[in-house]
Every structure is written in C-alpha cells, then in structure tokens.
Amino acid sequence: MSPGNSEARKPAHLAYRPDIDGLRAVAVLVVVFYHAGLGCPGGFVGVDVFFVISGYLITALLMRDIRAGTFSFVTFWERRTRRIFPACAAVILVTLAAGLFLPLTADFVKLAKSALAQAAMAANFYFWPSDRYFAEGSFKPLLHMWSLAVEEQFYIFFPFGLWMLYRFRQAQRQIKLVWWLLAATLASLVLATLGVHRGHERSDFILSATFYLLPTRAWELLIGAVLAALPAACMASPRWVREVAAWAGLAGVLLPVHRYYGGMAFPGLAALLPCLGAAAIIWANTPNGASADWKLTIPGRLLALRPLVFIGLISYSLYLWHWPVLVFGNYGARDGTAASAGEAWIQVAVSMVLAVLSWRWIETPFRTKRIAGTRRGIFRLAGVATALLVMIAGAVVVSDGFPSRMDQHGRLNNAALGDKGFNEDLRAADVLEGRIPRFGVPDASLPPRILLWGDSHAMHAVGALDSFCREHGIVAEMIAQNATPPVMGASFGISKTYNYDGLAWADTAIGHIKSSGIKDVILAARWNIYTETPAEEDLLETSLQDTILHLSRMGCRVWVLQDVPDFRAVVPRLIGGSQGRFSWGPRGEWRQTRERHLRENRVLERLAARNLPATFLDPAQDLLEPDGIHYRATQDGVSLYFDGNHLTTRGTRLVLLPLLREKMGRAFSGDAAGPD
C-alpha cells in the first residue's frame, strides 16, 4: 500500500477532492493502528482502499492527458518520480543508517537486501517467499515497501495498456473502455480467488504469491480505474441514492476493519468488500454537472473535515515511516507479544512527527518543483540517490553486515544464529527409498540401533545424538518432518498448515522401525505447538501414549525427549553484544519461567508421571537459573539457541549430550565396543 501514489492536490482542471484525502486518512490510520496493536484487527484492508484510490486518481489523470493529446510517458514518470521517490529514498537511507546499530549482522544484511530490492521496484518479489519453519524470526523494516512495488509495477504496464486502447480506437466510446477494464478486473479477481483457495489447500508459496504479486492485486487498482472511466451519465444520481451509497461504502470499509483478522483468506473475495466500499464513497461524492445544488454527502463531509484532510495529506509519509519505527521499536520484544499501549502510542506519535517533517521538507518541495525544478534535474537526482542507496546497501551485503563493529560477544552471538546443525525435511519417499540420515559411527555395514523420530526439535538434537553414538560405537538414524509430531493416529492443525499428512507419515515411520529391526526409539518434538486448543491437547496426550505403548509392544525401548524452554524470541538478537557505546538489549523480561514452561508442556508432565514403558528425558532442568524461576538461554554470555526454541549445535552438545550420557549411557554401556 502506498497512500502517496495518488496526488494530494490536483490542478484546478482536475478538481481537488478533500473527501478522498479524508478517505486516505482513514485507510492509513487503520493500517497504522493494526500494525501498532491498537485495535483494528482487520486494519490491513487499508492497503486495499489505497489501491482503489490510486487506481481512480491515476486513471483520471491519464485519461485527461490522453484525450487532450498531451500524454507523455516521460512526463507521467516525472510526476510519479516527484511524488514517490524523494520520501521513499529518505526512509530507506535513514533505515539503513539505523541498521548500523543492530546487534545481528544477519538482520542488517536482510535489511540491505530488501533496500536493494526496492531500488529495483521489486520489493514484493523479495518478500514473496514465505518464511520457512526454521526461519530466524521476522525482522523486516522495509516489508511495507511491497505495496509500493506493486503500484510501481502497475504504473509501468497500465499507462501503456490504456494508451494502446486509445491508439487503436478501442476506447473511443467510453463504455467500450469500461468493458475492457471490467474484463481485466474480473480476470485478476478470479486469479486472486483461485490463488487464495489453492494456497490454503496446497501451498504457502501460492498463497504468498497471491498476496504479494501484481497479477492478483491488479483488480483492486482496476476497480478505481473502472470508476474513473465511467461515463458522466453514470455519475448523475439523485441525492438519496448517493447518500445511501456513501453510507454503505463507509460501512464496507469500516466493518472489515473490526471484523476481519490476520491469517484469514486474503486478498481473495474478502478484499472485495472494502474495495467496493471505497469505490462507493468516491462515486457518491464525485461532482457532476447535472445538478446545480450538488454537494458532498454526509459521509463525504465527515471525510472532508480538516483533521482528516491533513492526515490524508501526510498519509504517504506516515505510511512510509510508521513501519520502520514500529519494527525497530519492538526489536527487543518477545515474538507474539505486542508493545504496551503506552509504548505503541509513543511509536505512533514518533511516526506522525516524522511524517509531518517528511511531508513538509521532502514531499512538498519536490512535488512543487522548489527542488529539482526541471525534468532533467529530478531524474538526475533520482539516479544519483538510487546509486548511493545501491552502493550503501551493496556494501552492507558484501561485508556481511560490517561484523568489525561488533565486540567479541557480539560476534559469537552472530555465529550462534547460523549454528543450526541438521535442517532438512524428509518425505515418505525418502524413507521408503532408503534416503535416511545416519549418525554415529561412520560404518555403513553396521545396522542402525537408534531411531530419532520427530519434528525440527529432533533435528536440533542430532549433534548430541551423533556424539553419544560415537562414544558407544553405534549407529543412529533420523526420520524428521517439520511441524509433524512423532505420534500415531493423529493429525494436527499446524501440520495441515504446512500440508503435511501426519497420519501417513507415522505409518511410514512405524513401517521403517519394523523393517530395520531398530530397538531404541527417541521421540522428540516441540510438543507445545500441538496443544493450541483443548481438543488438540487431549489428542496429543492420547496419541503419544498410544504410540509409546505400541512401540513397547513392538519390542522397542522408548525414550521421550521433552522440550527445551521456549523463549519465543530470537535469543541471539536479544542478547547481542554492544557496538561501541551502544547496546540494543531486550525490552523487559524475556526469559522463560518455570511456571510457564510447565504449563505449556503439561501434557508431557502428565505422561511422565504415569507408569508408561518409556523414559522421559527433561533437558529444561539443567537450564533452570539459581533463582528457581527463570531458565537461562546462554552459556558464558553466548546464546545456546539460534532462534527462540531450537538449540545451536554448541547448545545441543552442552545441554542434551550430558542428559543422554546420564539417562541412556548405562543402557548402552554394554552394547558397544567403546568410543569411536
């Protein structure tokens, strides 16, 4: 979304619309409040409202110039450059400067890469692939640039298409132009609807593409274009009709703000309501010459109030600044926890101040040609600024985030972020065809003695298990699939989200245990993510117990690896070392508490208390602080985690290996020839 991609004030011959500035204000405010956690659970629809506004105003300008015979692609892009580029470049450069103080070089590099993507008008392509399950966490101060890139790409193709329609007389009759635009709108909407449906069923990759890319977003801009292309006769309606349309449109915008929620199927048909609402408001308040006493509707007059109009004028800068302010302001927060209301309001206030300054001293001078008054001047300045941005961001990427600015602890914690050990999903075909990772003694002739079965928390245990097996001269295998617990007869919501079939996967694992003659099975998982609802909690408890009993009846010794403390934050980010005199530490208490850990893992605690044929291994007990309340996440000032819940290879050997030696060592001491 880019509120600035529609001109704040139009020339006299294209009448200024204060109601549109007011609508722009509503859209940017709901987006800001949504991002700040200040209500507005569906505030993301402000993006869609802005797309409609932009499509309407840009199409009106293009049609005016094309019909008058004054249209020029160069002139069009000069106007776009003056309106969009200066404030955008300023925000990116300031954000890159702030990146110098980040305690993780990886965060700085990701920031620089996103800046390079936006310099190429391709930020939406950069952010398109969904975060993977093993992602380091979300730090994307320029994420909001995706919508700016969508509009910029639209402004490359749409003016040419509109010009071609006029060039080949396909738009000489206005109604014919409307039909062409309606056809394009419908095609894009159908594509978006199919993308959302197929994405939820099959692939996050498809769902993410539907959200970020132009073909599935163009229909929102095209709704505005259709509105601008309507013949004058379609604008002349009785006042009561316009009033009803305006109130219905306002409801269409505001109801989703309060009824929609993050994670819903979007931007398919659900986006149609706010888009049509915005179009209805614009239509109902569009002047026409059919009535001498024409005036704004009541909703239009409300939107034209001075405070809203002013926020509409600064909306582009407010949109640009608010997201970096919020992201940097919440850098030290636990994942999934919002800032306090007071902190959020402070961040919004800072964003407003920056927006006013940006509008007054950057946007306005360039738009009114007080700076770079000639076409050559603005293009030259844009070229120099882009080159500067590319050089700075490129230097950050090439230098790997300037690690020399870090102290010793900072460098070690940066290294922890990449100390991930094994990280590879298996599929049923891999198991059936024998492509199973082996650990321990590097002797291909030895049969596997241990199977490590689980999700990504089985993967992070590989380092410890490998060392243990080498000490005892045995071989282990691992069957692991992200977001899929090692249980039989159950399927969980998070597994379905990743399109994994937990039932079939369990059958594959059990079949391999039978065929390979494995005698020891370690079950490991991030257990608490499979207990999101009471029903899932009961399902995990029942299915895990049944799995233990089934494996025992098969003649296997069963070991259940309980979970490490879950900090729900990127630990290396929170404890990153100081840079010179500046330290960016965590905000408030972020350590996991014993009470919360026990509550989140109560299913395992209940099962461990029963007389089941399994040995439960609890790594959390060795991480408990002397206060008996909090768990530690570091050893000698260096993170034991590479995110908030997965141990580093170093952490695995420091935390899990002693546990395996203590609990499993005696069981295997007589089974092997000795250390490798």
Side-chain angles (χ1 to χ4, degrees):
M1 180 268 288
S2 173
N5 280 6
S6 42
E7 314 258 348
R9 291 190 179 276
K10 303 298 172 192
H13 47 274
L14 191 62
Y16 170 60
R17 295 281 301 272
D19 57 299
I20 289 183
D21 264 335
L23 182 59
R24 188 183 293 117
V26 171
V28 77
L29 287 175
V30 299
V31 169
V32 171
F33 291 157
Y34 167 68
H35 286 156
L38 296 171
C40 300
F44 51 84
V45 301
V47 173
D48 312 277
V49 172
F50 272 114
F51 281 157
V52 174
I53 295 172
S54 294
Y56 171 75
L57 292 174
I58 291 301
T59 303
L61 285 169
L62 288 169
M63 290 177 60
R64 178 204 65 188
D65 292 346
I66 293 174
R67 286 171 173 171
T70 60
F71 173 74
S72 162
F73 288 102
V74 176
T75 301
F76 174 79
W77 271 101
E78 178 192 353
R79 191 163 55 220
R80 293 294 86 212
T81 301
R82 288 187 181 280
R83 188 69 182 95
I84 297 170
F85 182 80
C88 179
V91 169
I92 293 175
L93 288 170
V94 170
T95 304
L96 282 171
L100 284 168
F101 302 102
L102 293 171
L104 288 183
T105 56
D107 285 339
F108 198 13
V109 170
K110 285 190 290 185
L111 169 59
K113 287 181 178 179
S114 64
L116 290 171
Q118 180 54 23
M121 296 188 294
N124 56 332
F125 283 94
Y126 176 77
F127 293 115
W128 165 16
S130 299
D131 280 347
R132 298 184 183 278
Y133 184 71
F134 244 73
E136 296 88 352
S138 179
F139 176 73
K140 301 173 183 176
L142 298 179
L143 175 62
H144 62 323
M145 294 290 177
W146 75 266
S147 58
L148 194 62
V150 166
E151 290 197 23
E152 289 169 337
Q153 292 156 18
F154 181 79
Y155 296 144
I156 290 174
F157 298 107
F158 181 69
F160 180 76
L162 194 61
W163 178 79
M164 290 290 288
L165 287 174
Y166 276 93
R167 172 80 172 172
F168 292 100
R169 301 183 180 276
Q170 294 298 302
Q172 296 306 307
R173 293 180 58 214
Q174 195 159 347
I175 193 63
K176 197 169 185 179
L177 172 62
V178 172
W179 281 113
W180 275 102
L181 293 175
L182 278 173
T185 304
L186 182 60
S188 177
L189 176 59
V190 168
L191 188 62
T193 304
L194 290 174
V196 168
H197 178 70
R198 295 287 181 88
H200 269 283
E201 280 191 342
R202 301 182 184 179
S203 170
D204 285 341
F205 189 76
I206 295 175
L207 193 62
S208 183
T210 305
F211 185 89
Y212 282 116
L213 301 187
L214 176 61
T216 47
R217 285 287 189 171
W219 67 271
E220 301 177 26
L221 291 135
L222 288 168
I223 282 179
V226 170
L227 186 59
L230 287 176
C234 297
M235 297 295 179
S237 297
R239 179 171 180 79
W240 71 268
V241 173
R242 294 192 298 109
E243 286 288 352
V244 170
W247 283 111
L250 194 59
V253 171
L254 295 181
L255 283 177
V257 170
H258 295 285
R259 302 298 296 178
Y260 286 7
Y261 56 91
M264 66 181 295
F266 206 83
L269 291 176
L272 196 57
L273 180 58
C275 287
L276 292 180
I281 293 171
I282 296 171
W283 174 85
N285 292 283
T286 298
N288 65 80
S291 176
D293 62 346
W294 183 92
K295 59 182 179 180
L296 290 173
T297 63
I298 294 175
R301 293 201 296 273
L302 292 174
L303 291 172
L305 291 173
R306 285 182 179 271
L308 282 178
V309 169
F310 179 72
I311 294 174
L313 292 174
I314 68 168
S315 59
Y316 178 47
S317 283
L318 179 56
Y319 179 75
L320 287 177
W321 284 106
H322 88 282
W323 184 246
V325 168
L326 292 175
V327 172
F328 276 94
N330 293 320
Y331 188 82
R334 280 168 53 88
D335 292 352
T337 60
S340 68
E343 291 169 330
W345 280 113
I346 290 172
Q347 292 166 356
V348 171
V350 170
S351 303
M352 290 288 291
V353 171
L354 291 172
V356 172
L357 294 175
S358 177
W359 169 73
R360 175 66 179 83
W361 298 106
I362 300 176
E363 281 193 67
T364 303
F366 280 97
R367 182 171 51 81
T368 58
K369 299 187 178 182
R370 293 205 302 269
I371 299 178
T374 65
R375 177 180 296 171
R376 178 177 295 180
I378 187 62
F379 284 147
R380 181 180 295 169
L381 187 145
V384 171
T386 300
L388 178 64
L389 189 155
V390 169
M391 284 191 294
I392 293 173
V396 174
V397 174
V398 170
S399 68
D400 197 25
F402 298 117
S404 59
R405 63 194 172 91
M406 301 286 179
D407 63 11
Q408 181 65 15
H409 277 99
R411 286 191 287 271
L412 290 173
N413 279 299
N414 270 274
L417 193 69
D419 185 17
K420 297 182 180 181
F422 189 90
N423 178 19
E424 182 181 339
D425 261 345
L426 295 184
R427 294 293 183 269
D430 296 317
V431 177
L432 295 175
E433 296 172 17
R435 296 190 298 270
I436 303 174
R438 288 167 61 98
F439 309 100
V441 177
D443 186 344
S445 65
L446 288 177
R449 174 63 191 270
I450 301 174
L451 177 71
L452 177 61
W453 175 21
D455 60 13
S456 64
H457 280 218
M459 298 181 197
H460 81 175
V462 163
L465 182 60
D466 180 62
S467 296
F468 176 83
C469 289
R470 287 174 182 270
E471 292 172 358
H472 291 273
I474 58 178
V475 174
E477 292 183 335
M478 181 182 69
I479 293 179
Q481 188 175 78
N482 289 331
T484 310
V487 297
M488 302 167 54
S491 183
F492 294 83
I494 190 170
S495 304
K496 296 174 183 175
T497 299
Y498 288 88
N499 300 300
Y500 295 147
D501 186 344
L503 296 171
W505 181 244
D507 290 342
T508 301
I510 293 296
H512 177 71
I513 293 170
K514 289 179 179 177
S515 63
S516 61
I518 286 173
K519 298 302 181 183
D520 289 86
V521 179
I522 302 175
L523 307 177
R526 188 182 179 187
W527 303 106
N528 66 75
I529 65 171
Y530 307 108
T531 59
E532 294 297 321
T533 65
E536 285 201 336
E537 183 176 322
D538 292 341
L539 179 61
L540 177 64
E541 184 169 353
T542 301
S543 59
L544 181 53
Q545 176 171 292
D546 290 346
T547 302
I548 292 170
L549 294 173
H550 184 82
L551 289 171
S552 179
R553 288 194 294 268
M554 289 172 58
C556 297
R557 284 186 301 198
V558 183
W559 313 83
V560 180
L561 183 60
Q562 295 175 247
D563 213 359
V564 293
D566 192 337
F567 293 93
R568 298 186 183 275
V570 180
V571 175
R573 179 180 294 159
L574 297 182
I575 63 173
S578 63
Q579 292 77 56
R581 297 180 180 178
F582 190 87
S583 179
W584 200 321
R587 186 188 66 212
E589 179 56 64
W590 58 273
R591 293 174 299 171
Q592 174 70 296
T593 63
R594 185 173 185 272
E595 183 273 332
R596 188 168 60 226
H597 176 73
L598 293 176
R599 184 175 67 249
E600 291 176 352
N601 293 275
R602 54 184 173 268
V603 168
L604 274 294
E605 296 298 321
R606 289 198 295 264
L607 291 174
R610 298 176 189 170
N611 189 28
L612 293 173
T615 302
F616 285 76
L617 312 174
D618 184 8
Q621 59 188 0
D622 292 329
L623 290 170
L624 194 63
E625 298 272 23
D627 64 8
I629 298 174
H630 299 98
Y631 292 103
R632 63 186 175 90
T634 66
Q635 177 84 11
D636 300 325
V638 180
S639 178
L640 296 170
Y641 292 73
F642 66 76
D643 56 10
N645 59 88
H646 296 93
L647 294 173
T648 62
T649 301
R650 172 177 175 270
T652 295
R653 292 195 169 101
L654 287 173
V655 176
L656 297 184
L657 183 56
L659 182 65
L660 297 181
R661 286 169 174 164
E662 176 189 354
K663 299 294 185 179
M664 298 179 67
R666 283 174 293 184
F668 287 87
S669 59
D671 295 346
D676 179 41

